[in-house]
Amino acid sequence: MKIDAANLIITIDGPAGAGKSTVARGVAKALGFSYLDTGAIYRVATLAAQRAGIDLPNERSPKRVFDAVDQCKLKFVYPDEDSPVHVFLDGDDVTAEIRTEAVTQHIRYVADLREVRAISSELQRSIAAKGRFVCEGRDQGTVVFPDAFLKIYLWASPEVRAGRRTQELRERGEKVDTREMLKKIKDRDRLDMSREVGGLKKAHDAVELDTSNMTAQQAIDAIVKLARERLK
Ligand code: DC
């Protein structure tokens, strides 16, 4: 296969727990593209606001939140093709901290703000302008990269996603209640889909892939096949 266009974008959007990160990384590796995890940007922006002393659920000034996000120094390092992004906030490695519940539960107060989404989208476009990227998130095909040559809407039923997440946490030795996990997944879907700007929805020209009965490798292979067909 020959890919020689300088700036090619594949977008992968979908709900939490659909396997976007694993699949996006696998697709990027197979095609020789770079990978952009846009959820990590909203995660670290949330931590930046928290570290600036903002009580996010009670903060009434969007400007205070925006300023905290705008003023922080971010660095994203992709160590190798198989590892998640390493994230630095003002020089501190916050890779693990941005995945904690304390951050996850407050993301909406940051990700809902139009002004934050505008600078985040601009950052995403400037990163992706440098080459060929698989960009993963909620609004990549709809808002950030409407001209992407391939858009995927990666889906799986809430029950399947809750089951996968429960198993993953149990394997790490954590105690998890499956019903509680299903509720969390459904709550996040509601928040992600109801966001006024950049809310999760399938782009009209996206290919929907239901991974409920697929392994990650099968999903990767299906997307790589589609990409190769379009690049012919
Ligand atoms: O993909 P993730 O779970 O790491 O994303 C964390 C949150 O960030 C998600 O609940 C919604 C938000 N997000 C967003 O609003 N837009 C994106 N492009 C990616 C993530």
Side-chain angles (χ1 to χ4, degrees), residues 13 16 20-21 37-40 42-43 99 104 107 111 117 124 136-140 144 188 192 195 198:
D13 292 304
K20 292 191 301 295
S21 301
D37 173 359
T38 62
Y42 290 98
R43 288 178 176 279
R99 309 270 165 205
T104 303
I107 295 174
R117 296 205 78 86
Q124 292 160 30
E136 175 232 320
R138 305 292 187 287
D139 58 351
Q140 300 297 286
V144 186
R188 265 186 88 187
D192 281 350
R195 183 162 294 124

